[in-house]
Amino acid sequence: MNIPLKITFLGMAPSEAVEAKIRQRAAELDQFSPLVQRCEVWVEAGHGHHRKGFLYNVRIRTTVSGEELDIDRQPDEEDVYVAVRDGFDALRRRVEDHLRKTRGEVKRHAGPPEISVDRAR
């Protein structure tokens, strides 16, 4: 993996297994696009909800071609691995969109229709 990766755990003990999963997903992102320059990941364990238990929030900030892309997955998963997977999937879609824009492959909307009136009598 060529990109610098910073992983921060908030409200929970650092886990080597979760960190290994994050490193794996970041390596996949690096192989997908060589334009990714850095990646920062925050994994936060929320307070225990009386009906849903602990919910995890994953925030990812990456720089692609000089532009920062942020992903903030709201706490909706009880499994930290699912939260990491969903966060990196959302980031990959965002990177794909950014690359399409930079290559000019985004569809342009048609302008207003042109109307010509011929008043020949």
Side-chain angles (χ1 to χ4, degrees):
M1 182 171 70
N2 297 329
I3 60 173
L5 178 64
K6 179 181 175 186
I7 302 170
T8 306
F9 292 95
L10 303 170
M12 62 184 283
S15 167
E16 290 182 16
V18 174
E19 188 172 331
K21 180 55 97 174
I22 291 171
R23 290 189 185 284
Q24 174 193 354
R25 295 302 301 244
E28 291 170 6
L29 183 68
D30 187 35
Q31 288 178 352
F32 172 71
S33 173
L35 298 177
V36 177
Q37 297 167 347
R38 70 176 176 85
C39 185
E40 297 176 22
V41 180
W42 293 271
V43 180
E44 180 179 10
H47 302 291
H49 191 273
H50 71 282
R51 289 190 182 165
K52 293 192 175 186
F54 283 101
L55 299 178
Y56 294 95
N57 182 16
V58 174
R59 292 178 12 205
I60 306 170
R61 179 180 298 149
T62 187
T63 304
V64 180
S65 308
E67 184 176 333
E68 281 196 5
L69 304 176
D70 292 328
I71 298 295
D72 186 7
R73 301 298 295 181
Q74 294 301 318
D76 59 353
E77 290 297 334
E78 291 183 47
D79 187 2
V80 67
Y81 297 103
V82 174
V84 168
R85 180 198 68 199
D86 291 349
F88 272 97
D89 287 348
L91 179 63
R92 183 177 175 136
R93 288 188 299 271
R94 182 83 52 92
V95 169
E96 286 174 350
D97 291 343
H98 175 73
L99 293 175
R100 271 190 222 109
K101 275 191 227 177
T102 57
R103 288 190 299 243
E105 295 176 0
V106 178
K107 268 189 188 178
R108 303 277 186 230
H109 292 287
E114 293 183 23
I115 300 173
S116 62
V117 177
D118 187 19
R119 293 190 177 215
R121 287 190 176 184

